[in-house]
Amino acid sequence: MFTEIYSSSITGIEGSIVHVEVDVSNGLPAFAIVGLPDNAVRESKERVFSAIKNNGYIFPMKRITVNLAPADLKKEGPWYDLPIAMGLLIASKELSHQSFLSNTLLIGELSLKGDLRPVKGILPMILNAQNQGFDACIVPIENQGEASLVDSISVLPAAHITQVIDHITGTKKITPVKESSIQTVLDSVPCYSEDFSDISGQHSAKRALEIAASGFHNFLLIGPPGSGKTMLAKRFRTILPALAKDEALETSKIYSVRGLFQQSGLMTRRPFRTPHHTASKASLIGGGLLPKPGEISLAHNGVLFLDEMPEFQKSVLETLRQPLEEKKVHLARASHHFIFPSSFLLIGSMNPCPCGYWTDESRPCRCSPFQIQQYRQRISGPLHDRMDMHITVQKIRFQDLQPDLNNEKSDAIKKRVDCAIALQKKRYIKEGFRYNSEIPSTKLSRYCPLEPAAQFLLKEAFDKLAFSARAYHKILRLARTIADLDQKETILEQHVGEAIQYRGQDQE
Ligand SMILES: Nc1ncnc2c1ncn2[C@@H]1O[C@H](COP(=O)(O)OP(=O)(O)OP(=O)(O)O)[C@@H](O)[C@H]1O
Ligand SMILES: [Mg+2]
Ligand SMILES: [Zn+2]
């Protein structure tokens, strides 16, 4: 007899429906799985055999063919165990077939005992099933949090194969889990343990970080060892605006595919990724035969922090150029072209020279000009260009290091950031971009009106400091953000003046 069960596959970070067709016919005992399965799918046979046998059901000693359709789509992962097992039991008449299965998605890895194990990629698979009009899905109990984020699809969690069998035969139905409201989950996020008020002094660096957060500008922190660069960068996320519902879902899909489960199934905070400087190209941009998203995609809608940036391999850093520009990464494979979202804010940190003390007046720098040049060149010109702000972090003075109760808290700074972001949201509502750092050069004149004095200052600076066209555009975008923090629609002279300060490296 023949039967058909529905399951799902993952391509990139999107789910697509897979028809699990099972045919059991008379003939010499054989068990074949066709339809481009990978090793984990092929090994399904052994798990399914044991799980059925160990729960008192009869495994058919017949000719079994399982076809995973569409056949041109590569199938990866162990979650076809459950649909294959159910298909087998129905096709061999161990269970009576129920029509509701034509509207239900089955996903789950089986242990030899018949326990259902959690799988990667539940969120995109269930989202796709919902789009395709499925009514229900049976998933491993540990995946129920993730699955229940998707609305208008009934999520039936199961811990063991017998629960699924009882549900299908109608002996005991599984109770659906309550849908979780994404907004409620997002609203109940606890505060960060670290805070901006932990940082003493460093007022100009803090101001710069506030500007960066207000327009999503990439920045590079340059300062001597121990000046607090890492400390500043780690607290940057505490002033970023909260994740919107669609952003949270989009980022969660990436974490789901990588199997980095969150407790609620949802990414509730902007990601902050800090890959080590020994990171490979594949770990940064994504890799594998069927590629999985890398660090830059895990940082989607959040921050990628490259601490000690010149220590990264130059070729690894160069791979960031295209995703920084396009906000997504393309990975070509023979079978398919994969695109992963990677819209992240890049923070880099570095010392001014190899010994670290070039800008430190209290200690002599022992580096030769050639060594300094070589060190700086590890970050290429085009990559430097993609940094909107170069922020100099000065060595902290003793009097600044005393605990100060008046240090502003992250919450207060975040309120101003939120106001600036709200202005941008309103202004760019009909555009394909969201933040000032993303204004295309063709639209700068429209969105960055300058008062005459600001225009004059910019022209003077352009001539005197020999800015490139790209640097000029970056100053305009940055000045736009500074004006937004000031709640001004027209960009004033002081806004341009402050923006120019952050392009110091262009002149060196
Ligand atoms: N402004 C500050 N306020 C309070 N503590 C500070 C400040 N700056 C530095 N510190 C202290 O110094 C330590 C080192 O700072 P941090 O690691 O951020 O320096 P860094 O600039 O990243 O140095 P490196 O170049 O060596 O990586 C911090 O853990 C903190 O204890
Ligand atoms: Mg550091
Ligand atoms: Zn030096």
Side-chain angles (χ1 to χ4, degrees):
M1 200 184 126
F2 165 87
T3 191
E4 186 178 24
I5 307 275
Y6 292 95
S7 193
S8 180
S9 73
I10 293 274
T11 311
I13 55 161
E14 300 301 333
S16 55
I17 300 297
V18 168
H19 302 242
V20 181
E21 302 169 348
V22 184
D23 181 59
V24 178
S25 44
N26 291 330
L28 282 176
F31 191 167
I33 300 179
V34 296
L36 284 187
D38 80 338
N39 279 343
V41 182
R42 265 187 237 116
E43 286 167 1
S44 225
K45 292 177 201 170
E46 315 303 330
R47 292 189 296 269
V48 168
F49 175 78
S50 299
I52 289 181
K53 188 186 60 121
N54 290 336
N55 284 287
Y57 293 90
I58 297 167
F59 188 90
M61 284 303 162
K62 292 186 173 178
R63 193 186 141 83
I64 303 165
T65 312
V66 174
N67 180 31
L68 306 175
D72 59 346
L73 193 73
K74 258 197 172 1
K75 320 293 182 314
E76 206 189 30
W79 56 81
Y80 301 103
D81 292 1
L82 182 66
I84 291 175
M86 290 305 125
L88 263 177
L89 290 173
I90 293 167
S92 62
K93 302 208 172 95
E94 273 286 286
L95 304 182
S96 58
H97 185 247
Q98 297 266 339
S99 61
F100 69 79
L101 278 182
S102 64
N103 260 322
T104 305
L105 202 70
L106 266 65
I107 297 168
E109 177 186 338
L110 287 172
S111 77
L112 301 189
K113 253 168 60 198
D115 296 317
L116 280 184
R117 294 220 168 104
V119 302
K120 297 176 186 176
I122 279 285
L123 185 60
M125 292 198 269
I126 307 298
L127 273 171
N128 173 63
Q130 175 224 40
N131 283 339
Q132 302 286 326
F134 278 80
D135 295 335
C137 58
I138 301 181
V139 298
I141 198 154
E142 275 144 281
N143 289 126
Q144 63 175 335
E146 231 178 299
S148 64
L149 293 170
V150 184
D151 46 23
S152 54
I153 186 162
S154 164
V155 176
L156 308 165
H160 197 265
I161 188 173
T162 48
Q163 275 176 281
V164 184
I165 292 173
D166 288 348
H167 180 79
I168 288 176
T169 53
T171 319
K172 187 167 183 249
K173 289 277 179 195
I174 301 171
T175 325
V177 281
K178 220 175 125 253
E179 219 173 80
S180 49
S181 148
I182 297 179
Q183 202 54 54
T184 321
V185 180
L186 285 177
D187 290 344
S188 59
V189 187
C191 302
Y192 286 100
S193 53
E194 64 266 40
D195 196 276
F196 251 61
S197 58
D198 304 337
I199 307 166
S200 319
Q202 301 294 13
H203 299 293
S204 55
K206 285 187 191 173
R207 161 77 180 164
L209 263 59
E210 179 178 336
I211 297 170
S214 302
F216 273 73
H217 298 283
N218 301 325
F219 62 90
L220 182 62
L221 293 165
I222 308 161
S227 57
K229 300 181 296 295
T230 305
M231 202 179 176
L232 278 160
K234 289 209 164 139
R235 279 152 187 80
F236 181 68
R237 59 177 169 169
T238 63
I239 59 167
L240 283 174
L243 271 179
K245 197 172 145 183
D246 55 334
E247 287 177 323
L249 261 185
E250 209 177 30
T251 307
S252 303
K253 267 163 67 173
I254 301 167
Y255 279 74
S256 172
V257 169
R258 280 285 303 263
L260 303 170
F261 303 114
Q262 305 295 309
Q263 208 176 19
S264 61
L266 189 71
M267 276 302 284
T268 47
R269 286 170 166 169
R270 291 193 183 272
F272 187 87
R273 305 295 300 183
T274 54
H276 191 252
H277 58 74
T278 52
S280 67
K281 251 186 226 178
S283 76
L284 217 58
I285 66 165
L289 201 59
L290 275 179
K292 294 279 171 288
E295 287 292 335
I296 61 167
S297 296
L298 291 169
H300 182 56
N301 287 321
V303 175
L304 182 74
F305 175 36
L306 304 183
D307 206 358
E308 318 289 349
M309 203 167 168
E311 301 301 327
F312 280 78
Q313 266 182 47
K314 203 167 174 184
S315 61
V316 172
L317 287 181
E318 289 306 293
T319 55
L320 296 178
R321 279 164 58 179
Q322 178 251 344
L324 271 170
E325 208 81 350
E326 292 187 26
K327 314 250 170 235
K328 51 187 174 239
V329 54
H330 298 262
L331 296 171
R333 294 291 182 273
S335 61
H336 200 81
H337 187 94
F338 295 83
I339 299 176
F340 295 126
S342 65
S343 172
F344 58 90
L345 188 154
L346 178 64
I347 306 181
S349 93
M350 66 184 286
N351 296 131
C353 66
C355 85
Y357 298 105
W358 192 58
T359 51
D360 192 339
E361 282 152 15
S362 57
R363 276 172 99 147
C365 161
R366 301 180 193 287
C367 315
S368 68
F370 177 69
Q371 280 176 314
I372 297 180
Q373 194 191 8
Q374 276 220 315
Y375 177 74
R376 293 204 170 184
Q377 276 175 353
R378 289 203 214 155
I379 304 173
S380 71
L383 201 60
H384 257 300
D385 250 1
R386 281 163 180 77
M387 291 291 192
D388 291 2
M389 304 169 80
H390 294 111
I391 303 170
T392 309
V393 185
Q394 301 292 354
K395 190 184 153 219
I396 188 138
R397 292 174 307 172
F398 179 76
Q399 61 264 40
D400 286 335
L401 208 48
Q402 306 317 310
D404 185 355
L405 290 178
N406 294 328
N407 272 351
E408 202 171 21
K409 292 237 183 280
S410 293
D411 265 356
I413 304 173
K414 185 174 171 291
K415 279 206 178 90
R416 295 195 294 271
V417 172
D418 283 340
C419 289
I421 295 283
L423 280 179
Q424 292 163 60
K425 199 172 169 193
K426 207 167 125 202
R427 189 183 303 131
Y428 308 132
I429 194 149
K430 291 197 178 128
E431 297 283 4
F433 59 91
R434 296 166 297 172
Y435 306 115
N436 289 335
S437 57
E438 298 170 351
I439 309 174
S441 47
T442 49
K443 296 201 168 157
L444 280 169
S445 54
R446 175 157 159 215
Y447 288 120
C448 304
L450 296 159
E451 67 159 354
Q455 183 89 44
F456 181 76
L457 178 63
L458 199 52
K459 186 183 173 304
E460 288 266 286
F462 189 86
D463 293 341
K464 273 207 192 115
L465 305 173
F467 284 140
S468 67
R470 190 186 239 153
Y472 170 77
H473 290 155
K474 285 206 176 292
I475 290 171
L476 275 179
R477 292 186 190 106
L478 208 53
R480 173 71 274 162
T481 302
I482 298 170
D484 283 344
L485 268 173
D486 205 10
Q487 301 283 315
K488 297 274 190 306
E489 205 41 50
T490 302
I491 299 173
L492 308 181
E493 188 184 11
Q494 68 260 34
H495 304 144
V496 170
E498 191 175 357
I500 291 171
Q501 284 176 30
Y502 299 117
R503 301 298 306 173
Q505 294 266 321
D506 292 328
Q507 307 142 38
E508 281 172 21

